[in-house]
Amino acid sequence: MSKISVASVRESVQQLLDASAAKKRNFTETVELQIGLKNYDPQRDKRFSGTVRMPKTPRPQMSICILGDAHDIDRAKHIGNDAMSVEDLKKLNKNKKLVKKLAKKYDAFVASEVLIRQIPRLLGPGLSKAGKFPSSVSHSDDLNGKLLEVRSTIKFQLKKVLCMAVAIGNVDFSADELVGNIMLAVNFLVSLLKKGWQCMSSLVIKTTMGKPFRLY
């Protein structure tokens, strides 16, 4: 049973959108869902990790690089998306600084199915450490569809601290679109928690520059 109602979430979302509209920024503010957990010991308890696809893409501008074989490099060029070949990756020479720079440059990576196993050998653990290990794409997959899926998917992962934040949309979304994303994200996260809502300490939404609005 969800402890937050659609009506109360909609009210908070509307307040957040009104506040953002009143103080218009010269960029599109991201709306973030910030979560505080309790009754968890990150040292002892099993750390959870899960991904869920949002009904409305939270980060349409997310930058993605395709690590591809010849076929996928061609497909990437055709849609005007950045791509790197095996030769390009070899040039980085597993240099930690260069791999870190690459990981910083993009929000996410997608790799050809045939290359995915070679990534650790080519780049070392850099992308994994940054939490950006590539998603796999096969030749039969629609590349645009795969990129949309990556942009639409959010990840919840318990690390060493009991707080998390995910991008849930932006201020150009309608209230209904934000509410839809928030409800799905929260209910999915609760399903990952060992004791459900008993592990939830706080839920807050805020825009990049705005003040926080508490949901729970």
Side-chain angles (χ1 to χ4, degrees):
M1 178 67 189
S2 185
K3 292 271 184 91
I4 53 172
S5 71
V6 173
S8 66
V9 171
R10 179 172 280 115
E11 191 180 327
S12 297
V13 164
Q14 198 54 59
Q15 288 172 348
L16 172 130
L17 290 174
D18 291 346
S20 171
K23 205 165 188 181
K24 202 78 178 144
R25 310 282 171 178
N26 56 4
F27 68 97
T28 304
E29 290 184 273
T30 297
V31 177
E32 200 171 63
L33 176 66
Q34 299 176 341
I35 302 116
L37 299 177
K38 61 181 180 182
N39 301 333
Y40 253 104
D41 181 348
Q43 306 301 330
R44 293 220 313 268
D45 287 326
K46 189 172 183 288
R47 293 188 189 180
F48 60 80
S49 176
T51 56
V52 61
R53 186 170 180 170
M54 295 285 97
K56 169 88 174 164
T57 306
R59 298 177 68 190
Q61 304 305 323
M62 185 183 199
S63 62
I64 302 173
C65 182
I66 293 161
L67 312 177
D69 58 5
H71 179 75
D72 284 335
I73 296 271
D74 281 347
R75 292 205 294 169
K77 279 181 184 164
H78 187 65
I79 59 171
N81 201 91
D82 286 5
M84 293 177 78
S85 65
V86 172
E87 294 311 311
D88 295 330
L89 298 179
K90 280 180 180 169
K91 282 176 196 163
L92 299 178
N93 214 8
K94 272 194 188 173
N95 180 314
K96 283 183 183 173
K97 277 188 179 170
L98 293 176
V99 174
K100 200 172 179 181
K101 195 174 170 186
L102 174 68
K104 260 190 167 171
K105 188 178 175 185
Y106 296 98
D107 295 319
F109 295 86
V110 169
S112 304
E113 204 171 37
V114 289
L115 291 186
I116 203 98
R117 285 186 182 160
Q118 296 177 40
I119 300 297
R121 205 175 73 232
L122 290 166
L123 296 177
L127 293 186
S128 293
K129 277 185 180 170
K132 294 180 182 178
F133 192 78
S135 308
S136 168
V137 64
S138 72
H139 288 173
S140 59
D141 289 338
D142 169 33
L143 192 55
N144 266 327
K146 184 68 188 179
L147 295 177
L148 179 66
E149 182 189 318
V150 171
R151 289 187 174 106
S152 302
T153 302
I154 60 170
K155 182 177 187 177
F156 291 111
Q157 187 172 16
L158 181 66
K159 294 190 177 170
K160 290 176 184 172
V161 290
L162 291 180
C163 50
M164 296 180 243
V166 291
I168 207 84
N170 62 52
V171 293
D172 288 341
F173 280 31
S174 71
D176 282 346
E177 287 166 344
L178 281 171
V179 170
N181 277 8
I182 290 166
M183 294 306 287
L184 180 64
V186 169
N187 289 328
F188 175 74
L189 172 62
V190 170
S191 75
L192 294 177
L193 303 176
K194 58 176 184 178
K195 290 181 181 170
W197 282 96
Q198 289 174 27
C199 296
M200 194 70 85
S201 168
S202 65
L203 283 171
V204 167
I205 49 170
K206 79 178 286 296
T207 58
T208 312
M209 310 291 283
K211 67 171 191 165
F213 291 88
R214 194 161 182 153
L215 303 178
Y216 178 73

